[in-house]
């Protein structure tokens, strides 16, 4: 049989390189790594700053005395408290003492021009009231030396001990021979007595000059 022509064998086509298999990126893992690195860098920067500040030599403080301050350290807390206390404490206002008003001087009572029955009665009843109240000195001050001689210069007569003057009643007061006489009925614890007191004007003051017991 006739020979076949040799069939040209086509060279095999070159195989294309296989496409590399793409790996999926782990995005969350990358973000976490970046964040950790950033924190490390920030921490290193802060630590370096602190270390540099600590390593700096401290400036020598000035002498408080040379600056005009006390050498004792200033206590800011106490100062603040003192300031608050001073602000809360009212500042005392000095009292202004007003000049005392001039005392009104009472006009002296005019001296009696003459002895009257009214003045004689007032003199006697005032003396008897002092005797009733036991005010011996006040009672005897309304008597003249002649009256003291009438009662034997016994000052206790103006403050009697066993005898007590209870009451009295003025019966009359009139001028009898240039002397004003006041007639009374006195009631003592020992009984009643009729008396007549002689009153004169001595130094613008009515005074008892004598006593008469009319029922003796």
């Amino acid at each position: 049989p006739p020979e076949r022509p040799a069939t040209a064998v086509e060279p095999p086509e070159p195989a294309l390189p296989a496409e590399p298999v793409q790996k999926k990126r782990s995005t969350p893992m990358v973000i976490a790594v970046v964040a950790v690195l950033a924190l490390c860098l920030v921490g290193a920067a802060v630590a370096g700053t602190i270390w540099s500040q600590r390593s700096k030599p401290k400036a020598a403080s000035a002498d408080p005395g040379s600056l005009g301050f006390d050498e004792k350290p200033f206590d800011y807390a106490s100062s603040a408290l003192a300031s608050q206390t001073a602000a809360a404490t009212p500042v005392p206002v000095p009292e202004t003492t007003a000049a005392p008003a001039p005392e009104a001087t009472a006009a002296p009572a005019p001296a009696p021009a003459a002895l009257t029955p009214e003045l004689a009665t007032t003199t006697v009843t005032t003396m008897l009231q002092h005797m009733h109240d036991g005010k011996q000195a006040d009672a005897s001050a309304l008597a003249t030396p002649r009256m003291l001689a009438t009662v034997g210069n016994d000052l206790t007569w103006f403050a009697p001990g066993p005898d007590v003057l209870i009451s009295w009643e003025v019966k009359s007061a009139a001028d009898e021979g240039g002397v004003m006489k006041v007639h009374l009925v006195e009631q003592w614890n020992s009984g009643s007595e009729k008396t007549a007191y002689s009153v004169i004007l001595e130094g613008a003051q009515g005074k008892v000059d004598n006593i008469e017991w009319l029922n003796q």
Side-chain angles (χ1 to χ4, degrees), residues 40-74:
C40 291
L41 291 175
V42 172
V46 173
T49 303
I50 294 175
W51 176 256
S52 62
Q53 289 181 354
R54 287 186 177 182
S55 61
K56 288 182 180 179
K58 295 184 179 179
S61 58
D63 181 14
S66 64
L67 300 178
F69 297 103
D70 295 334
E71 294 183 2
K72 184 178 180 181
F74 189 71

Side-chain angles (χ1 to χ4, degrees), residues 105-113 203-205:
T105 306
Q205 169 70 57

